[in-house]
Amino acid sequence: MAVFNKVDFDNHEQVVFCSDKESGLKAIIAVHNTKLGPAVGGCRMWDYTTDEDAVTDALRLSKGMTYKNAVARLPFGGGKSVIIGNAKEIKSEQLFRAFGRQLERLSGSYYSAEDVNITCDDVAIMNKETNYVLGLEGKSGNPSPFTAYGTFLGIKAALQHQRGHQDLAGIKVAVQGLGAVAYGLCKHLHEAGATLFVTDINEQAVERVVNDFNATAVGIDEIYDLDVDVYAPCALGATVNDTTIPRLKATIIAGCANNQLAESRHGEIIREKGILYAPDYVINAGGIINVYYETAPAGYSAEASTKHVEGIFDTLTEIFARSEKEQKSTHLIADELALEIIENGL
């Protein structure tokens, strides 16, 4: 498998392939950039169709973490890891301990945390073999509520820029994917008066949100065609693409998923269509911000973490203004801001 000539390879410092025969572990760790500090990014478990898909995901996600950590003004570089396999079938203490040993071999160049299909309990098992993990219970704990809050504030920032107000009463939001973060987002939106349309492959997750927040359930593919104000992608990436863009009626795209644009060019296409896009790694940075405060010299503070997360509103406001002034898509403005911070320091 070629790595260096992949379109998503961006001078990554390390791409490590890990395996363990006894536990069945097959994993990839990608360290993108450590200029601002050790690479930090979650580990996700997914049943990838091919190993190449797993490599692509690790490369894209790790670069996204470099930019996310920079724009969030955290002293972290960017990295990400993926464990290949069905989470319902392969999870075991033996597997996570084996992965912890792989982290230990990197000697602190990369710190892992929870991500898709990985829980705080799983991270705690890794911690039995290595200290190079973050997001532990009793410290910063579950980052999902902070990611959800930051995403909620990002939607308010987009409304403020586009419509001159932050009032969510009567605003229609289509939420795609209903994991832990999206559930928290739906709670914030419901309490603020938004009308929710939701979908997920997990019928129980849909039923829960419908019952708890008076949401309307729609089909997996139907979500793109709804006459709503906000499309909030909160599942896996690349849902903003050549097929879906012509179908979208929303004028704002703001959700917690990573890598929402299938390709960079889609950012310009939606800008020309009049859709305001909240760059994914900016709006969904609440979780990593919360994890950072686990490393604070004074010890973890939920209050300090929340205050930092609230800065997502201001960062997006700056990006939206620069985008409008320079007539350039918001995701490119976000990239420029990240590179400025990486080059000049925090």
Side-chain angles (χ1 to χ4, degrees), residues 44 68 147-148 150-152 155 175-177 179-183 185 231-235 254-260 278 280-281 283-285:
R44 68 172 43 181
K68 177 187 291 191
T147 308
T151 305
F152 171 68
I155 291 174
V175 182
Q176 179 191 51
V181 175
Y183 180 86
L185 172 62
Y231 166 55
C234 298
C256 60
N258 288 310
N259 299 326
Q260 293 170 26
D280 45 26
Y281 63 76
I283 194 172
N284 68 15

Side-chain angles (χ1 to χ4, degrees), residues 155-307:
I155 291 174
K156 294 183 73 172
L159 281 172
Q160 179 65 49
H161 179 80
Q162 188 180 77
R163 307 187 182 190
H165 69 81
Q166 303 174 34
D167 187 5
L168 278 150
I171 294 295
K172 298 176 182 177
V173 184
V175 182
Q176 179 191 51
L178 298 171
V181 175
Y183 180 86
L185 172 62
C186 287
K187 184 174 188 294
H188 286 298
L189 291 169
H190 173 69
E191 290 174 350
T195 301
L196 301 176
F197 299 85
V198 300
T199 194
D200 194 287
I201 57 175
N202 184 335
E203 293 182 7
Q204 289 182 324
V206 173
E207 186 177 345
R208 182 187 182 200
V209 173
V210 167
N211 291 336
D212 291 355
F213 308 128
N214 196 31
T216 299
V218 301
I220 295 291
D221 191 57
E222 184 185 354
I223 197 78
Y224 304 109
D225 301 310
L226 300 179
D227 186 9
V228 295
D229 302 286
V230 181
Y231 166 55
C234 298
L236 294 180
T239 64
V240 181
N241 55 53
D242 290 329
T243 301
T244 61
I245 290 172
R247 298 166 60 185
L248 292 174
K249 297 179 179 65
T251 59
I252 291 170
I253 297 176
C256 60
N258 288 310
N259 299 326
Q260 293 170 26
L261 304 179
E263 298 176 37
S264 180
R265 63 185 176 85
H266 293 125
E268 184 60 24
I269 292 172
I270 58 176
R271 186 186 76 83
E272 291 177 352
K273 191 178 178 182
I275 298 174
L276 181 62
Y277 171 55
D280 45 26
Y281 63 76
V282 182
I283 194 172
N284 68 15
I288 193 66
I289 289 171
N290 186 57
V291 163
Y292 162 70
Y293 281 89
E294 185 174 313
T295 72
Y300 176 72
S301 165
E303 182 180 357
S305 175
T306 300
K307 185 176 181 180

Side-chain angles (χ1 to χ4, degrees), residues 26-98:
K26 290 182 175 59
I28 300 165
I29 300 171
V31 176
H32 177 248
N33 185 292
T34 57
K35 186 169 182 180
L36 294 179
V40 178
C43 173
R44 68 172 43 181
M45 181 178 286
W46 196 255
D47 194 10
Y48 294 97
T49 303
T50 67
D51 292 350
E52 188 165 359
D53 288 345
V55 172
T56 296
D57 213 21
L59 292 176
R60 294 192 73 185
L61 291 167
S62 57
K63 178 181 177 180
M65 286 307 303
T66 295
Y67 285 36
K68 177 187 291 191
N69 291 335
V71 173
R73 278 129 177 125
L74 299 175
F76 291 156
K80 204 79 174 185
S81 52
V82 299
I83 296 176
I84 300 170
N86 188 323
K88 295 179 180 179
E89 297 175 359
I90 71 166
K91 277 193 176 187
S92 69
E93 176 162 353
Q94 190 179 23
L95 182 138
F96 289 119
R97 292 191 74 138

